[in-house]
Amino acid sequence: MNTELLDYQLIRTLQERVADQLTVSRQQRKATSLPDLQALDEEQLALSLIEAQVKTYMHAELTAGRDLPDASHDRRLADAVFASMYLAGELQELLEDELVEDIDINGADEVWVTYADERRTVRSRPVAGSDADLIDMI
């Protein structure tokens, strides 16, 4: 699990842009009497839109003269946007870890994870930018 924190406000902004684009796509399909996309097809479209939004953001950062994060940042950002839209957000990585036995969340930045190995219970990274973001995610 990468411990570098992502900008939750950026994730939310990108998510909103992609959601807006998906809404426009649905409206266009309806206006031209095309059937709605199946769930998996819409997820594929969302993935393409997410990738485009992340590239646009990274290009804008570079153009503005800001340093780009490490090479994995854009992938993590795209994954986080997808997870926030279709999965359990930042919790998804923990939920998919077969060694995780228990997750205790006492707020966005107080997360305790119990593993089935020698690590036992450890404090984990925040799973949301704020308690309000955590409530929205849940």
Side-chain angles (χ1 to χ4, degrees), residues 56-66 68:
T56 299
Y57 165 75
M58 297 299 265
H59 180 73
E61 289 294 292
L62 189 60
T63 302
R66 291 186 274 280
L68 294 180

Side-chain angles (χ1 to χ4, degrees), residues 23-82:
T23 299
V24 168
S25 174
R26 284 186 205 110
Q27 291 169 341
Q28 289 173 341
R29 292 181 73 75
K30 182 170 260 171
T32 57
S33 300
L34 291 172
D36 290 339
L37 292 175
Q38 297 295 318
L40 288 176
D41 293 332
E42 186 169 282
E43 283 184 26
Q44 283 300 115
L45 175 58
L47 279 171
S48 297
L49 296 172
I50 290 167
E51 294 289 335
Q53 286 295 327
V54 169
K55 283 182 182 178
T56 299
Y57 165 75
M58 297 299 265
H59 180 73
E61 289 294 292
L62 189 60
T63 302
R66 291 186 274 280
D67 290 334
L68 294 180
D70 66 77
S72 70
H73 184 78
D74 53 344
R75 176 77 269 140
R76 287 190 61 238
L77 186 56
D79 289 347
V81 173
F82 183 83

Side-chain angles (χ1 to χ4, degrees), residues 105-111 125-131 134:
I105 302 173
N106 299 318
D109 59 354
E110 188 177 340
V111 180
R125 67 185 166 116
V127 294
S130 68
D131 288 347
L134 177 63

Side-chain angles (χ1 to χ4, degrees), residues 63-122:
T63 302
R66 291 186 274 280
D67 290 334
L68 294 180
D70 66 77
S72 70
H73 184 78
D74 53 344
R75 176 77 269 140
R76 287 190 61 238
L77 186 56
D79 289 347
V81 173
F82 183 83
S84 71
M85 293 180 74
Y86 292 99
L87 303 169
E90 285 290 302
L91 284 173
Q92 192 65 37
E93 193 172 346
L94 291 170
L95 294 172
E96 292 175 353
D97 187 335
E98 293 179 7
L99 293 176
V100 171
E101 289 183 336
D102 192 29
I103 304 168
D104 292 310
I105 302 173
N106 299 318
D109 59 354
E110 188 177 340
V111 180
W112 297 90
V113 179
T114 303
Y115 291 92
D117 60 13
E118 66 278 353
R119 292 176 284 182
R120 296 303 306 149
T121 301
V122 297

Side-chain angles (χ1 to χ4, degrees), residues 2-37:
N2 190 323
T3 58
E4 176 192 348
L5 294 179
L6 292 170
D7 180 347
Y8 293 102
Q9 185 57 46
L10 173 60
I11 292 168
R12 182 180 296 250
T13 298
L14 295 177
Q15 175 185 344
E16 289 170 358
R17 289 178 186 167
V18 171
D20 289 347
Q21 290 176 308
L22 287 172
T23 299
V24 168
S25 174
R26 284 186 205 110
Q27 291 169 341
Q28 289 173 341
R29 292 181 73 75
K30 182 170 260 171
T32 57
S33 300
L34 291 172
D36 290 339
L37 292 175

